[in-house]
Amino acid sequence: MQPSGIITLMSDFGLDDFFVAAMKGVVLSINRTATVIDITHTVSAHDIFGAALTLADCYAAFPEGTIHVAVVDPGVGSERRPILVESDRYFFVGPDNGLFSFIYEAETIRRVIHITAHRFFRQPVSRTFHGRDIFAPCAARLSEGVDPREFGEPITDPVKLTVPTVEPFGEKRLRGQVIHVDRFGNLITNLTAREVPLDLIQSGGALIVGGREVSAIRTHYGEGREGEVFAVIGSTGRVEISLYRGSAATILGVDRGAVVELVFP
Amino acid sequence: MQPSGIITLMSDFGLDDFFVAAMKGVVLSINRTATVIDITHTVSAHDIFGAALTLADCYAAFPEGTIHVAVVDPGVGSERRPILVESDRYFFVGPDNGLFSFIYEAETIRRVIHITAHRFFRQPVSRTFHGRDIFAPCAARLSEGVDPREFGEPITDPVKLTVPTVEPFGEKRLRGQVIHVDRFGNLITNLTAREVPLDLIQSGGALIVGGREVSAIRTHYGEGREGEVFAVIGSTGRVEISLYRGSAATILGVDRGAVVELVFP
Amino acid sequence: MQPSGIITLMSDFGLDDFFVAAMKGVVLSINRTATVIDITHTVSAHDIFGAALTLADCYAAFPEGTIHVAVVDPGVGSERRPILVESDRYFFVGPDNGLFSFIYEAETIRRVIHITAHRFFRQPVSRTFHGRDIFAPCAARLSEGVDPREFGEPITDPVKLTVPTVEPFGEKRLRGQVIHVDRFGNLITNLTAREVPLDLIQSGGALIVGGREVSAIRTHYGEGREGEVFAVIGSTGRVEISLYRGSAATILGVDRGAVVELVFP
């Protein structure tokens, strides 16, 4: 796979501090022609699951050969491994703590490399900022065409998060959960259109979340009615619970982790 | 008009989620050499007027041929039209909901196109995220030199917001309003240097806002005095009400929409 | 020194408004091939010291010949001078108010120029937004290779902030202070590994901050223990006070400016 020359960055560093700029400086000092794109840097501190999900939702929009760097890294400086994941379409660089859990499911993985090649690191390597000292320089080298196998040995046991699954529950019920709340207060669930056949709901089924029965299905946000809570299939294929021109999260008083039950008619 | 290769993005998507990154990925997947610049993504959710004003205040700083994409789109998925506006200097792409109201006034418009050419869209087109599926790919095609007329048919009735105007009021008074509050708490009004001759105010006139009479005129923020509320002509030509090293919005207790009266001497 | 073609931007303009985009537009209108990178734009309003420190912590990660533009400028429009600082590796452009205080110490300065060459400014020059009208266009010209001496005359008295120093205090004590709190609540101090020999602390010494005696030294954040407050050498060489998986700032109730005492054994 030919690198696209694009490197994306994601972290929980926030936008107020020097961290993100330092990573970009390091990248451009190695590969002046790299195109650096931010995914987000306001992941909640240490929220590996949230970062993993956000990456999963947008990595494939980028050209093949793009290098995605994700640094949510509470274990920085410890024995946790820096890794490079190569699928048949993309590269991923970051700590081995589960950040790429969704990638392992969605992509055809060629190899996962434990990054150990100190010659590619920024020197001296700090114990507290591997984003700048290991991940950024390795991504930059990779973007120049360095072979992934030069960064270290392959491993077969990368860390994978336990991703919440949809489970049958009682008679005619499925139980999933809210896995994300977006800026508009939409509740993104781990149910997809596959588990939630829209016609079933419209013929008497319902979703139950935060003590509320949701039986209205809409095709887009603006189709809702004043004050209505409804379900919609979001842009990544997941079922979302929305409030017309308002925040479903606020009105239902629920947050990430809340149970969502699907009741068949 | 030759595209400059620059595409700006503005939205109410916030910076925490995958939305903005997905748009950038789509753009770069089509035109790898495009330069993508963020205007802002923290427009208040669904605040079309605020977005329109912010765009109006900076679009002309960009090179001619720049493509400005604005996605504040509460009607996404409904019948509201996706449009492409071509002036004699710039392109604008987004939903037809008034986002380009100030542009229609300020620019010489060549054509407004109702975007219908599905062949330029990302497939499948979701009902909830046209930023990624319609606006980003069309902007990318446009940046490659595709003729605007290939995107659809011209329309003559684009949606225009009612922009607050300055009105005479009683004897020797004008009534305008606060149309924006900036990060520093400056109150940006819809009065301009044309309506507010500085010498008139200095010879006994005043601005009244939030129950306070403001009769001091300063040429720049730092010219104020401790605790002083004063008027200044801002960098876009609008009259601003400022507090020396503080927030006029907070001390006067006013927000966007507040009435501003100009009393002539 | 050859310009790298990279221009970084830092300001207290926030990310909600048109200010940053206007600066980028102006840069690209002059030098279409410049690479513009944000350092941060969420410096607290008028916080010159905070901006100076953030710049100091990352400017050297960029390629030599990079132009760093910093605009925290409460004196905009007044007599304060716009300046261009040229070291043997980098250029710095901004108001002469102390923003480059750390740079004067860390870099070998070739010259400091008082920018007066109106022919490089955006016209008309506003009295309230020199970021757009003076600093951005001058940086863009500089990135094209214009000689720094063309921008004005050299000066020898640029404004320097009083940077808090580490002082001896009583017997066997040093007194420094918290100069920054990062997103994770780590307290960044002005003590460095030079003043705080780790072995001294581990053999009975301590740091005292917010009424708490901190005697644990860790090499990285993840090495701490549940609920433990500890010291760590951060990625810029400064001593930081951290709470394991939490905010030291919150638990100790301290903020920037808090005294940190080092007690030798």
Side-chain angles (χ1 to χ4, degrees):
Chain A
M1 175 174 41
Q2 196 69 17
S4 69
I6 298 168
I7 296 174
T8 77
L9 302 182
M10 161 183 275
S11 75
D12 60 354
F13 293 150
L15 293 170
D16 302 345
D17 226 307
F18 76 94
F19 305 123
V20 174
M23 288 182 67
K24 292 179 183 176
V26 168
V27 165
L28 293 170
S29 291
I30 293 169
N31 182 356
R32 174 65 188 84
T33 66
T35 300
V36 184
I37 302 284
D38 295 309
I39 296 206
T40 178
H41 295 289
T42 50
V43 171
S44 298
H46 307 160
D47 180 10
I48 297 167
F49 179 83
L53 185 66
T54 301
L55 180 61
D57 283 347
C58 66
Y59 77 94
F62 286 85
E64 295 201 5
T66 292
I67 299 160
H68 297 290
V69 180
V71 191
V72 176
D73 194 11
V76 60
S78 71
E79 291 305 305
R80 71 94 189 84
R81 301 171 293 198
I83 57 172
L84 185 175
V85 179
E86 182 185 3
S87 80
D88 58 346
R89 304 190 297 167
Y90 298 102
F91 302 98
F92 303 87
V93 174
D96 179 30
N97 61 16
L99 274 173
F100 306 126
S101 296
F102 293 97
I103 303 301
Y104 301 134
E105 303 303 314
E107 288 287 300
T108 302
I109 304 299
R110 282 198 192 153
R111 56 179 69 85
V112 181
I113 300 284
H114 175 193
I115 298 175
T116 55
H118 281 258
R119 69 184 180 283
F120 297 126
F121 299 175
R122 181 175 184 272
Q123 298 299 339
V125 176
S126 72
R127 296 288 297 267
T128 56
F129 192 9
H130 287 184
R132 177 191 65 189
D133 301 338
I134 296 180
F135 302 121
C138 285
R141 294 292 179 197
L142 202 52
S143 75
E144 293 185 311
V146 171
D147 190 300
R149 286 165 296 193
E150 290 203 34
F151 290 88
E153 295 299 315
I155 59 171
T156 55
D157 60 345
V159 173
K160 294 180 189 185
L161 299 177
T162 307
V163 173
T165 54
V166 175
E167 305 289 351
F169 161 67
E171 274 183 59
K172 295 183 165 188
R173 288 190 175 212
L174 288 179
R175 182 182 268 171
Q177 61 176 261
V178 174
I179 56 173
H180 180 61
V181 178
D182 75 15
R183 188 193 193 202
F184 302 94
N186 297 311
L187 308 172
I188 320 301
T189 76
N190 63 341
L191 297 159
T192 65
R194 193 161 41 95
E195 288 105 9
V196 185
L198 298 189
D199 49 351
L200 271 189
I201 285 187
Q202 270 166 333
S203 57
L207 287 160
I208 299 174
V209 55
R212 178 101 152 226
E213 209 175 291
V214 179
S215 55
I217 304 283
R218 302 292 169 217
T219 61
H220 55 280
Y221 305 120
E223 201 197 7
R225 292 160 204 166
E226 202 61 39
E228 184 186 60
V229 177
F230 56 90
V232 64
I233 303 296
S235 65
T236 58
R238 296 194 183 90
V239 174
E240 301 181 10
I241 309 294
S242 293
L243 171 68
Y244 182 69
R245 304 223 168 173
S247 163
T250 302
I251 208 171
L252 298 179
V254 303
D255 209 338
R256 194 168 93 185
V259 170
V260 180
E261 285 178 27
L262 170 60
V263 187
F264 292 106
Chain B
M1 175 174 41
Q2 196 69 16
S4 69
I6 298 169
I7 296 174
T8 77
L9 303 182
M10 161 183 276
S11 75
D12 61 354
F13 293 151
L15 292 170
D16 302 346
D17 227 307
F18 76 94
F19 306 124
V20 175
M23 288 181 67
K24 292 180 183 176
V26 167
V27 165
L28 293 170
S29 291
I30 292 169
N31 182 356
R32 174 65 189 82
T33 67
T35 299
V36 184
I37 302 286
D38 295 309
I39 296 205
T40 177
H41 296 288
T42 50
V43 172
S44 299
H46 306 160
D47 180 10
I48 296 167
F49 179 83
L53 186 66
T54 300
L55 181 62
D57 282 347
C58 67
Y59 77 94
F62 286 85
E64 295 202 4
T66 292
I67 299 159
H68 296 290
V69 179
V71 191
V72 176
D73 194 10
V76 59
S78 72
E79 291 305 305
R80 71 94 190 86
R81 300 172 292 196
I83 58 171
L84 186 175
V85 179
E86 182 184 4
S87 80
D88 58 344
R89 302 190 299 167
Y90 299 101
F91 302 100
F92 303 86
V93 174
D96 179 31
N97 61 16
L99 274 173
F100 306 126
S101 297
F102 293 97
I103 303 301
Y104 301 133
E105 303 304 314
E107 289 286 301
T108 303
I109 304 298
R110 284 199 191 152
R111 56 180 68 85
V112 180
I113 300 284
H114 175 194
I115 298 175
T116 54
H118 281 258
R119 68 185 181 283
F120 297 126
F121 299 175
R122 181 175 185 271
Q123 298 298 339
V125 176
S126 71
R127 296 288 296 267
T128 56
F129 192 8
H130 288 185
R132 178 191 64 189
D133 301 338
I134 296 180
F135 302 122
C138 285
R141 295 291 180 196
L142 203 51
S143 75
E144 293 185 312
V146 171
D147 189 301
R149 288 164 294 194
E150 290 203 33
F151 291 87
E153 295 300 314
I155 60 172
T156 54
D157 59 345
V159 173
K160 294 179 188 185
L161 299 177
T162 306
V163 172
T165 54
V166 175
E167 305 289 352
F169 161 66
E171 274 183 59
K172 295 183 166 188
R173 289 188 176 213
L174 288 179
R175 184 181 267 171
Q177 62 176 260
V178 175
I179 56 173
H180 180 61
V181 178
D182 74 14
R183 189 194 193 203
F184 303 94
N186 297 311
L187 307 172
I188 320 302
T189 75
N190 62 342
L191 297 159
T192 65
R194 193 161 40 94
E195 288 105 9
V196 186
L198 299 189
D199 49 351
L200 272 188
I201 285 187
Q202 270 167 332
S203 56
L207 287 160
I208 300 174
V209 55
R212 178 100 153 226
E213 209 177 289
V214 178
S215 55
I217 305 282
R218 303 291 170 219
T219 61
H220 53 280
Y221 303 122
E223 200 197 7
R225 292 161 203 165
E226 202 61 39
E228 184 185 58
V229 178
F230 57 90
V232 63
I233 303 295
S235 65
T236 58
R238 295 194 183 90
V239 174
E240 302 180 11
I241 310 295
S242 293
L243 171 67
Y244 181 69
R245 303 223 168 172
S247 164
T250 302
I251 209 171
L252 297 179
V254 304
D255 209 338
R256 195 167 93 186
V259 169
V260 180
E261 284 178 26
L262 170 60
V263 187
F264 292 106
Chain C
M1 174 173 41
Q2 195 68 17
S4 69
I6 299 169
I7 296 173
T8 76
L9 302 182
M10 161 183 276
S11 74
D12 61 352
F13 293 149
L15 292 170
D16 302 346
D17 227 306
F18 75 95
F19 305 123
V20 175
M23 288 182 66
K24 292 180 182 175
V26 168
V27 165
L28 293 170
S29 291
I30 292 169
N31 181 356
R32 175 65 188 82
T33 67
T35 300
V36 184
I37 302 285
D38 296 309
I39 296 206
T40 178
H41 295 289
T42 50
V43 172
S44 298
H46 307 162
D47 180 10
I48 296 167
F49 178 83
L53 186 66
T54 301
L55 180 62
D57 282 347
C58 66
Y59 77 94
F62 286 85
E64 294 201 6
T66 292
I67 300 158
H68 296 289
V69 180
V71 191
V72 177
D73 194 10
V76 60
S78 71
E79 292 305 304
R80 72 95 189 85
R81 301 172 292 198
I83 57 172
L84 186 174
V85 179
E86 182 185 3
S87 80
D88 58 345
R89 302 190 298 167
Y90 298 101
F91 302 99
F92 303 87
V93 174
D96 179 31
N97 61 15
L99 274 173
F100 306 126
S101 296
F102 293 97
I103 303 301
Y104 301 133
E105 302 303 315
E107 289 286 301
T108 303
I109 304 298
R110 283 197 193 153
R111 57 180 69 85
V112 180
I113 301 285
H114 175 193
I115 298 174
T116 55
H118 281 258
R119 68 185 181 282
F120 297 127
F121 299 175
R122 181 175 185 272
Q123 297 299 338
V125 176
S126 72
R127 295 288 297 265
T128 56
F129 192 8
H130 287 184
R132 178 192 64 190
D133 301 338
I134 295 180
F135 302 121
C138 286
R141 294 292 180 196
L142 202 52
S143 75
E144 292 184 312
V146 171
D147 189 300
R149 288 165 294 193
E150 290 203 34
F151 291 88
E153 295 300 314
I155 59 171
T156 55
D157 60 344
V159 174
K160 294 180 189 184
L161 299 177
T162 307
V163 172
T165 54
V166 175
E167 304 289 351
F169 162 66
E171 274 183 57
K172 295 184 166 187
R173 289 188 177 212
L174 288 180
R175 184 182 268 171
Q177 61 176 261
V178 174
I179 55 172
H180 180 61
V181 178
D182 75 14
R183 189 193 193 204
F184 303 95
N186 297 311
L187 307 173
I188 319 301
T189 76
N190 63 341
L191 297 159
T192 65
R194 193 161 41 94
E195 287 104 10
V196 186
L198 298 189
D199 49 351
L200 271 189
I201 284 186
Q202 270 167 333
S203 55
L207 288 160
I208 300 174
V209 55
R212 178 102 153 223
E213 209 175 289
V214 178
S215 56
I217 304 284
R218 303 292 169 218
T219 61
H220 55 279
Y221 304 121
E223 201 197 7
R225 291 161 204 164
E226 202 61 39
E228 184 184 59
V229 177
F230 57 89
V232 64
I233 303 295
S235 65
T236 57
R238 296 194 182 89
V239 175
E240 302 180 11
I241 310 294
S242 293
L243 171 67
Y244 181 69
R245 304 221 168 175
S247 163
T250 302
I251 207 171
L252 297 178
V254 304
D255 209 338
R256 195 168 92 186
V259 169
V260 180
E261 284 178 27
L262 170 61
V263 187
F264 292 105

